[in-house]
Amino acid sequence: MAAKGAVRGMIFNIQKFSVHDGYGIRSTVFFKGCPLGCLWCSNPESQAAGFDYSRSSLRCKGCGICVAHCPEGALVRGEDGSILRDAQKCVMCGRCADACPEGAINLVGREATVAEVLAETAMDGVFYRDNGGLTISGGEPLLQPVFAASLCELARRQGMTTAMESSFAAPLEHALSVCGHLDQLMTDIKHMDSKRHKGATGLGNERILANIGEVRQRFPALDMLIRCPVIPGFNDDEAHVERLARFVGSLPGARLELLAYHRLGEGKYANLGRPYPLAGVAPLPKERMTELRSLAAAYAPPPAQE
Ligand code: SF4
Ligand code: SF4
């Protein structure tokens, strides 16, 4: 028990009172690092395994105090007056963040032990004891399998239910080691065609589909929700939705949720100094999402009502 509490992991946020990350009210622990690079990712700060440097253009007043406090000469003022960072020189020391009077700079990520995470979420149990629990998300929890499994195992011993949001783009043994400590699994299929999957995420879907099938077999009682972010022009055609729904329908007890594409993460890209890959892509109309959900429901059950 003590050894598992001491396992360290890299996370970037613990969100309290979440209602979108599993059944009931949940505390969601966001892990750093992801093997995929989905074009529509709404948590781009989760993708790198280490720290990310973020500067809010809304908060920054352009005073230049951060430039003066950088010991590495990594920050300079550009010709247009903006503050530029040389990522090659930056050592992520955080002095600029400490010096900024506006709180505009954030080094995203922190190390924490399992015990520290559970201490932060312990009080939440008062609110969700009978209807909620702990969710691990990311990023990709399965990139840190020992931390993920220890966190879920000890959370359960404290009486919490556990859920995981995972891409399943990880070795099978990592998935198995965590799934044994879960009450609910939420995993994604972005596209049933591996080439198209790779084009939009960086990896094919073979391992993901194989992991889903294997976990379904080995943990037949595990509540399994498969989600698909519906991206206009990528996977929103009827043929794809039907193929996806038939696959999910073949997995005993699995449910399928089609998620509407949104652009809520767009501002984070600017803060990280990265272009938003899907600039100009508009979300689908609600009516179209309703049509696609009706089509999917003919082959696979929709998410359970809470
Ligand atoms: S110190 Fe803060 S407010 Fe001033 S330029 Fe730097 S980031 Fe902007
Ligand atoms: S984190 Fe440190 S090295 Fe990087 S820009 Fe800020 S002060 Fe400079």
Side-chain angles (χ1 to χ4, degrees), residues 21-299:
D21 301 320
Y23 296 123
I25 304 166
R26 312 198 66 85
S27 297
T28 304
V29 182
F30 290 90
F31 285 46
K32 272 289 254 167
C34 183
L36 301 182
C38 303
L39 298 178
W40 52 88
C41 179
S42 57
N43 285 330
E45 75 276 35
S46 75
Q47 292 175 347
F51 291 105
D52 264 305
Y53 181 98
S54 171
R55 180 171 57 235
S56 166
S57 53
L58 291 177
R59 288 192 171 184
C60 176
K61 300 287 190 288
C63 65
I65 291 173
C66 54
V67 177
H69 278 76
C70 177
E72 306 295 330
L75 297 176
V76 294
R77 197 181 277 285
E79 285 181 6
D80 62 354
S82 62
I83 308 295
L84 306 174
R85 183 180 69 102
D86 184 337
Q88 301 300 320
K89 289 184 179 174
C90 176
V91 296
M92 298 286 185
C93 68
R95 293 201 196 169
C96 54
D98 294 340
C100 174
E102 306 297 332
I105 300 173
N106 185 18
L107 296 193
V108 183
R110 68 177 163 112
E111 275 201 335
T113 65
V114 166
E116 287 165 350
V117 172
L118 290 176
E120 279 187 53
T121 57
M123 286 305 295
D124 306 341
V126 174
F127 299 97
Y128 57 53
R129 179 63 61 194
D130 297 323
N131 185 28
L134 185 85
T135 297
I136 56 173
S137 184
E140 176 47 66
L142 296 182
L143 284 188
Q144 303 180 66
V146 178
F147 181 61
S150 303
L151 188 53
C152 291
E153 182 180 350
L154 295 197
R156 265 184 158 182
R157 286 194 201 171
Q158 292 186 2
M160 288 186 253
T161 65
T162 55
M164 174 169 73
E165 295 179 316
S166 168
S167 70
F168 257 23
L172 174 63
E173 56 269 29
H174 292 189
L176 297 178
S177 69
V178 179
C179 285
H181 303 293
L182 292 179
D183 297 293
Q184 188 185 16
L185 170 67
M186 290 161 280
T187 187
D188 283 4
I189 297 174
K190 333 285 190 187
H191 207 292
M192 290 298 293
D193 181 87
S194 189
K195 278 189 185 158
R196 304 229 40 208
H197 192 283
K198 185 171 184 179
T201 71
L203 285 178
N205 65 13
E206 290 85 356
R207 174 178 277 180
I208 294 167
L209 298 183
N211 283 348
I212 288 173
E214 194 66 30
V215 165
R216 179 68 302 176
Q217 268 199 343
R218 301 224 200 167
F219 300 96
L222 177 61
D223 190 315
M224 179 184 270
L225 177 65
I226 295 176
R227 307 208 277 204
C228 177
V230 180
I231 311 301
F234 171 62
N235 59 7
D236 61 330
D237 55 289
E238 282 91 354
H240 177 261
V241 170
E242 181 178 331
R243 186 178 168 192
L244 169 69
R246 284 182 182 275
F247 174 76
V248 176
S250 73
L251 302 165
R255 296 176 179 275
L256 175 62
E257 181 172 25
L258 298 183
L259 301 169
Y261 163 69
H262 62 71
R263 301 175 61 166
L264 297 179
E266 192 169 355
K268 295 180 182 178
Y269 285 82
N271 292 348
L272 294 169
R274 293 164 48 181
Y276 181 59
L278 294 190
V281 174
L284 289 174
K286 278 185 182 171
E287 301 73 32
R288 178 61 177 157
M289 284 304 301
T290 301
E291 282 174 14
L292 294 176
R293 285 176 179 136
S294 296
L295 172 61
Y299 303 97

